Amino acid sequence: MSDVRAGLAAAGAHLAALGLSPGSSGNLSVRDGGLLYITPTGADLSRLDPDGLSVLDRDGSHLEGPRPSKEFPLHTALYRRDAATRAVVHLHSRHAAALSCLPPWSARSAVPPLTPYFVMRVGQTPLLPYAPPGDPGQAKELERLPFPLRAALLQNHGPVVSGVSVRAAVDAAVEIEEVSALLLALGDRPARLLTEEEAGELARRYGSCWGE
């Protein structure tokens, strides 16, 4: 068992313990060189077997292990977008999934800059139009978006986030759930958002994507 596989299994257990992966929903992956380790289809994130992960190449070809999550095209799209990406997390977490059913805040981000940590850990998060889970066309749309990003909301579905490490991707997935919960709690009340200058300064300082 490699440390990479064990780390992915531990991340799944952590997300499940936080209540962000109901049932057998959600999928995780990590890139190690030219190989992608991804959770199998129907996997329970709370009980991942590090030696039972699916193994793909960077193009998504299945090399060994059980059948991968049908949503693997989202993962390979994010790895191809940014060579620095080392991990991808896709969840059906309650509040972020609810937010994905509402109109986006802007063309580049469904989520406004409500908190510093959303800008720092996630950054602009566009809303991708609805497609059936696993649809390769949606993954192609994600890959071709003409502005930098590390996360997206899939309409009527939930968030997919990437990171330079498993820890960074997990932190981003947690942060997008938290900011979504805050937005839903605020409802229609006028909320003070970070200004473009404030969000931009945070993005520059922490290397996130905002307004570029």
Side-chain angles (χ1 to χ4, degrees), residues 140-204:
K140 289 179 182 177
E141 182 177 356
L142 172 61
E143 187 174 354
R144 293 171 181 167
L145 285 173
F147 50 85
L149 61 92
R150 292 181 185 160
L153 274 183
L154 313 178
Q155 194 169 46
N156 297 88
H157 190 162
V160 58
V161 304
S162 62
V164 297
S165 65
V166 171
R167 172 66 182 271
V170 166
D171 286 349
V174 172
E175 195 62 40
I176 200 169
E177 175 66 8
E178 288 300 306
V179 75
S180 297
L182 289 173
L183 287 165
L184 293 170
L186 287 166
D188 293 332
R189 286 171 287 183
R192 194 267 179 186
L193 303 179
L194 302 185
T195 66
E196 281 300 308
E197 292 76 15
E198 290 166 341
E201 192 277 331
L202 286 170
R204 288 189 294 273

Side-chain angles (χ1 to χ4, degrees), residues 70-149:
K70 61 180 168 292
E71 296 184 289
F72 77 85
L74 292 170
H75 294 248
T76 55
L78 286 168
Y79 289 118
R80 285 193 294 266
R81 276 191 65 97
D82 186 350
T85 295
R86 292 292 182 272
V88 175
V89 173
H90 168 51
L91 299 174
H92 302 166
S93 50
R94 180 178 303 148
H95 298 99
L99 197 68
S100 78
C101 301
L102 299 177
W105 175 70
S106 75
R108 290 195 175 194
S109 191
V111 184
L114 182 65
T115 68
Y117 283 94
F118 167 68
V119 175
M120 291 156 53
R121 293 179 176 170
V122 187
Q124 56 196 14
T125 302
L127 182 69
L128 292 183
Y130 173 77
D135 180 65
Q138 187 178 58
K140 289 179 182 177
E141 182 177 356
L142 172 61
E143 187 174 354
R144 293 171 181 167
L145 285 173
F147 50 85
L149 61 92

Side-chain angles (χ1 to χ4, degrees), residues 6-119:
L8 196 68
H14 175 63
L15 290 166
L18 293 175
L20 302 185
S21 175
S24 60
S25 67
N27 37 83
L28 317 177
S29 69
V30 62
R31 180 163 69 88
D32 186 22
L35 298 179
L36 308 182
Y37 298 99
I38 188 167
T39 51
T41 186
D44 181 342
L45 297 191
S46 70
R47 302 175 61 187
L48 293 176
D49 176 4
D51 292 320
L53 299 173
S54 307
V55 185
L56 311 178
D57 66 19
R58 291 189 67 180
D59 294 323
S61 297
H62 185 198
L63 302 178
E64 62 179 85
R67 186 160 59 95
S69 166
K70 61 180 168 292
E71 296 184 289
F72 77 85
L74 292 170
H75 294 248
T76 55
L78 286 168
Y79 289 118
R80 285 193 294 266
R81 276 191 65 97
D82 186 350
T85 295
R86 292 292 182 272
V88 175
V89 173
H90 168 51
L91 299 174
H92 302 166
S93 50
R94 180 178 303 148
H95 298 99
L99 197 68
S100 78
C101 301
L102 299 177
W105 175 70
S106 75
R108 290 195 175 194
S109 191
V111 184
L114 182 65
T115 68
Y117 283 94
F118 167 68
V119 175

